[in-house]
Amino acid sequence: MKVTLPDGSDLTVADGATAGDVAAVIGPRLAKAAVAAKIGDRVVDLTTPVGEGDRIAIVTPDSAEGLDVIRHSAAHVLADAATRLYPGTKVAIGPAIKDGFYYDFEFPEPVGEDDLPRLMEEIYRLLGASLPFQRREVSKEEALDLFAGEPYKVELIRDLPEDAVISVYRQGEFLDLCRGPHVPDTGRIGAVGLLSVAGAYWRGDSDNTMLTRIYGTAFPSKKELDEYLERMEMARQRDHRKLGRELGLFSFHDEGPGFPFFHPKGMRVINALLDYWRREHVAAGYEEIRTPMMLERTLWEHSGHWDNYKDNMYFTKIDDVEFAVKPMNCPGGTLVYKSEQHSYRDFPMRIAELGQVHRHEMSGVLQGLFRVRVFTQDDAHIYCLPEQVEDEVVGVIQLVHRMYKTFGFERVHVELSTRPEKSIGTDEMWEMAEKELASALERAQLAYDLNPGDGAFYGPKIDFHIEDVMGRTWQCATCQLDFTIPERLDLEYVGEDNQKHRPVMLHRTVFGSLERFLGILIEHYGGALPAWLAPVQVAVVPVADRHAEYAGEVRAALQGAGLRVEVDVRTESVSKKIRDGEVTKVPFMLVVGDREIEQRGVTLRARGSKDTRPLGLAEAVAEIAELCGVPEVESDA
């Protein structure tokens, strides 16, 4: 019997061979490393029989599929350990997720994070036992008998069709309902770490039982696990919710869940971001507009948002007319466009809006500034002729890369997302739009991944994912090509032929959500924002009360240069003030005492350094002003 390998070559194996046998024929080293296999596009256990002509790939731990198999298997081992240590525990579900896995339990007694070391000890005992994962297919009736004592499994089984073939896996004494695949045995899992405990409603429904969810992760080696845990600890220390509170940037309150409250220092950072954003957009030829927060329901129906997005929108009535609070800026922007007649000579029109939008998010997914119910979208809409689309998309790509370099985001991963299942517009529109974006990416010489089915409901898009210092990626900027909304909202221009035509519309952002981008920056820099962004750029530290008047003069000179300055007049020692300045991440501290007054100078200390330098006041102001300027970068996109 012959099977086909990923390189296109054929391999002869015995009749009845399994995927594991294929790995062994290829070589003993591969067989030892293998954790699963792919037959066609389906990831399967190594015990799965192969057929004549099957396309086979061996899955190893260094692949995304391999890690998922390891982590899913680790979730089963966690469930085995939990049911052994806590008799009477009912098990729910335990999938692999990004960076790890979780399992949901109904424990007979409270289980918290203090119990994780005990669970870890049992997990490692089970790993050491190298228990085989054994797959078996059963009927629905058999499955109901096997899991008669597990109410959550029974509920899942009852939801399946009557003629469903159901797979179960056993390792040792533990049996689970699962599609698989799994590693050959528990000894192949590698290194496991349990991370946290949380509550989770069964099936995400608040009317159901609150279960205990245990999160964990697994890696092929302890070294990889330790590196991941180190990154996790760094992320914990840099948590923007913690730093935002400590630095006095923003807060959240029970009276407005999911709605951030920005404090004076937070607004200083936001305004610095917006000043930079506006400078870049003016230079790139954008005009700025502002549109209303609420608009009539009929507009949202015409735009397609009502049918495709209403579950995420807020509504109200004014004079018995239904209004929607905008979740996006584009329909309002189109009304600005329609308020005047346009000619082909007007294009391209680049119209930007820093619009505050509201989206209804479930309370369980709210996460600091990363997931909120109100945020500022740094939107822009480009209206252009079909032949201008590629140039405009390339211009967006260059703007995105230039702005990201300013923040030190040099590694940007790009995806092209195509038509989703729920969408508007014709097949021809979508095909043309997808080709235009792909052509622009190729012209910009950008490598990209295809992300099928993840486009916006009105058009395909290019998404930009930035990588922070902890190796995490964040999707922020996007560029969406839209032939459908101009049609639905009747946008027109007069062409060179003196006839009316539809413009092409590009939707794009750079930050995405200003609030989320701020959260990313706080964690990326660990709260020590670059000097040009810092809420307090300079702290003036008088040695004693008699030096306060001169400290005020220093502040006035710095503020005259456009710097954000505070004077620390507390009755604390100079060393305590300096320590506090370091804790609050102030880029520059200027100490003033008798000597500085006499010499009309200051003593400069930079953040993170113990070195100090005496400078004349004018010299210090000029130097600090230069250091606090926005860095100039060039795009190589």
Side-chain angles (χ1 to χ4, degrees):
M1 178 173 63
K2 287 186 177 179
V3 297
T4 303
L5 300 181
D7 63 1
S9 63
D10 290 334
L11 182 72
T12 301
V13 295
D15 290 344
T18 65
D21 294 332
V22 173
V25 172
I26 295 172
R29 181 176 296 178
L30 181 63
K32 184 177 180 181
V35 293
K38 287 178 76 173
I39 299 180
D41 293 326
R42 185 168 58 102
V43 183
V44 299
D45 299 306
L46 288 170
T47 54
T48 303
V50 300
E52 176 71 36
D54 279 349
R55 182 164 50 88
I56 307 294
I58 304 305
V59 175
T60 55
D62 56 0
S63 67
E65 293 104 330
L67 268 181
D68 276 351
V69 171
I70 285 174
R71 288 165 177 169
H72 191 185
S73 303
H76 280 232
V77 177
L78 165 61
D80 189 1
T83 52
R84 288 171 183 267
L85 295 179
Y86 303 97
T89 294
K90 306 301 180 188
V91 293
I93 57 172
I97 58 173
K98 185 179 183 295
D99 291 337
F101 62 87
Y102 70 77
Y103 213 112
D104 291 344
F105 304 98
E106 183 183 331
F107 286 111
E109 59 188 86
V111 171
E113 298 197 357
D114 290 345
D115 298 291
L116 296 184
R118 185 180 178 215
L119 279 164
M120 282 292 303
E121 185 177 345
E122 182 65 12
I123 285 171
Y124 272 94
R125 190 186 71 78
L126 295 170
L127 299 185
S130 296
L131 303 171
F133 280 90
Q134 299 170 316
R135 178 186 172 95
R136 177 183 163 202
E137 293 185 349
V138 298
S139 67
K140 185 172 181 178
E141 184 179 353
E142 287 177 281
L144 289 170
D145 287 340
L146 285 171
F147 293 98
E150 294 288 353
Y152 303 106
K153 301 294 184 185
V154 167
E155 184 177 327
L156 294 172
I157 295 166
R158 289 194 190 282
D159 288 345
L160 297 172
E162 287 302 319
D163 59 351
V165 176
I166 299 167
S167 58
V168 297
Y169 279 82
R170 181 182 294 279
Q171 85 265 10
E173 299 173 8
F174 181 71
L175 184 72
D176 208 347
L177 177 74
C178 184
R179 287 178 298 186
H182 289 286
V183 297
D185 62 69
T186 59
R188 303 288 283 275
I189 289 174
V192 177
L194 298 184
L195 305 175
S196 61
V197 177
Y201 291 111
W202 169 236
R203 290 189 150 180
D205 188 336
S206 59
D207 292 333
N208 289 339
T209 304
M210 173 68 81
L211 303 176
T212 300
R213 175 170 294 179
I214 299 179
Y215 286 96
T217 192
F219 286 89
S221 69
K222 186 175 184 303
K223 179 177 180 290
E224 290 166 289
L225 174 63
D226 288 344
E227 289 172 351
Y228 173 78
L229 295 176
E230 186 177 331
R231 291 196 302 272
M232 287 284 290
E233 177 58 23
M234 182 187 295
R236 188 190 67 78
Q237 292 174 0
R238 291 172 174 238
D239 189 315
H240 74 280
R241 292 164 295 188
K242 167 178 169 286
L243 290 173
R245 185 173 59 252
E246 292 173 356
L247 300 177
L249 302 179
F250 59 86
S251 58
F252 287 89
H253 301 275
D254 293 340
E255 293 82 355
F259 298 92
F261 290 70
F262 285 98
H263 299 197
K265 288 183 179 179
M267 286 306 302
R268 294 176 196 167
V269 180
I270 285 176
N271 287 332
L273 283 171
L274 295 184
D275 288 345
Y276 168 65
W277 184 92
R278 286 191 167 102
R279 285 197 300 274
E280 287 288 341
H281 281 71
V282 167
Y286 287 80
E287 294 281 359
E288 188 175 349
I289 64 170
R290 180 182 293 179
T291 61
M293 189 70 70
M294 292 190 298
L295 295 163
E296 279 193 22
R297 168 179 170 168
T298 52
L299 175 66
W300 304 105
E301 289 174 335
H302 293 153
S303 71
H305 288 84
W306 186 266
D307 292 332
N308 293 275
Y309 210 76
K310 64 176 179 287
D311 291 344
N312 296 92
M313 296 168 68
Y314 295 107
F315 308 97
T316 189
K317 277 192 175 183
I318 302 174
D319 297 332
D320 293 326
V321 177
E322 284 193 88
F323 278 70
V325 180
K326 65 177 180 181
M328 299 177 186
N329 297 306
C330 37
T334 62
L335 297 181
V336 174
Y337 177 91
K338 292 177 69 174
S339 67
E340 300 177 35
Q341 182 173 316
H342 297 288
S343 158
Y344 70 94
R345 293 187 180 89
D346 298 334
F347 296 138
M349 291 176 56
R350 304 183 189 111
I351 308 298
E353 179 175 12
L354 292 161
Q356 194 175 64
V357 297
H358 290 71
R359 297 182 183 178
H360 180 242
E361 301 282 5
M362 299 297 288
S363 58
V365 301
L366 299 175
Q367 186 188 5
L369 298 180
F370 291 158
R371 199 70 174 266
V372 290
R373 288 175 170 151
V374 58
F375 59 92
T376 304
Q377 197 168 45
D378 68 314
D379 232 334
H381 298 97
I382 301 172
Y383 304 94
C384 61
L385 305 174
E387 59 268 28
Q388 294 172 330
V389 167
E390 186 175 306
D391 285 344
E392 291 305 304
V393 174
V394 170
V396 170
I397 290 169
Q398 292 171 340
L399 176 65
V400 167
H401 278 264
R402 183 168 63 252
M403 291 183 68
Y404 281 172
K405 281 186 176 182
T406 300
F407 300 98
F409 295 123
E410 297 282 347
R411 301 184 64 178
V412 181
H413 169 67
V414 180
E415 288 181 346
L416 173 59
S417 299
T418 58
R419 187 174 191 172
E421 187 175 333
K422 194 174 183 181
S423 61
I424 58 177
T426 66
D427 292 344
E428 291 78 15
M429 286 178 174
W430 277 88
E431 184 178 354
M432 187 186 309
E434 289 170 4
K435 284 182 177 177
E436 287 280 8
L437 292 185
S439 178
L441 285 167
E442 288 163 11
R443 178 173 147 192
Q445 299 183 327
L446 274 187
Y448 65 92
D449 290 331
L450 196 63
N451 192 7
D454 201 40
F457 71 84
Y458 46 78
K461 60 178 181 171
I462 299 171
D463 285 333
F464 300 82
H465 300 253
I466 55 178
E467 183 175 321
D468 68 15
V469 293
M470 290 165 278
R472 302 174 303 178
T473 56
W474 307 88
Q475 191 273 308
C476 295
T478 188
C479 181
Q480 304 165 352
L481 180 51
D482 184 1
F483 290 99
T484 58
I485 285 182
E487 184 74 32
R488 293 177 70 101
L489 296 182
D490 196 28
L491 305 189
E492 296 178 338
Y493 70 92
V494 177
E496 198 169 1
D497 58 0
N498 216 31
Q499 301 298 309
K500 291 185 177 179
H501 302 273
R502 301 284 184 216
V504 181
M505 188 174 177
L506 290 171
H507 310 246
R508 46 108 298 192
T509 65
V510 179
F511 296 154
S513 157
L514 177 64
E515 289 77 2
R516 181 169 175 266
F517 194 75
L518 174 59
I520 293 167
L521 290 178
I522 291 169
E523 297 199 359
H524 179 66
Y525 291 112
L529 295 170
W532 70 272
L533 262 186
V536 179
Q537 296 171 312
V538 190
V540 183
V541 180
V543 174
D545 289 347
R546 67 179 182 274
H547 307 124
E549 182 178 348
Y550 179 65
E553 292 181 37
V554 173
R555 173 176 57 192
L558 292 162
Q559 288 175 333
L563 295 163
R564 298 184 288 277
V565 190
E566 288 186 354
V567 177
D568 191 341
V569 294
R570 296 177 301 158
T571 58
E572 301 284 356
S573 67
V574 171
S575 58
K576 175 70 164 61
K577 292 177 181 180
I578 288 173
R579 282 197 303 273
D580 290 347
E582 288 288 342
V583 168
T584 53
K585 321 292 187 185
V586 178
F588 301 103
M589 285 175 275
L590 300 180
V591 178
V592 295
D594 292 337
R595 183 183 62 185
E596 287 76 18
I597 292 174
E598 182 181 342
Q599 297 176 356
R600 299 295 295 172
V602 294
T603 297
L604 171 66
R605 181 189 180 111
R607 180 173 60 196
S609 173
K610 293 183 179 179
D611 296 334
T612 60
R613 282 191 297 136
L615 291 171
L617 178 55
E619 183 184 2
V621 170
E623 180 174 322
I624 293 171
E626 183 178 355
L627 292 170
C628 288
V630 180
E632 294 289 334
V633 298
E634 293 182 6
S635 174
D636 58 3

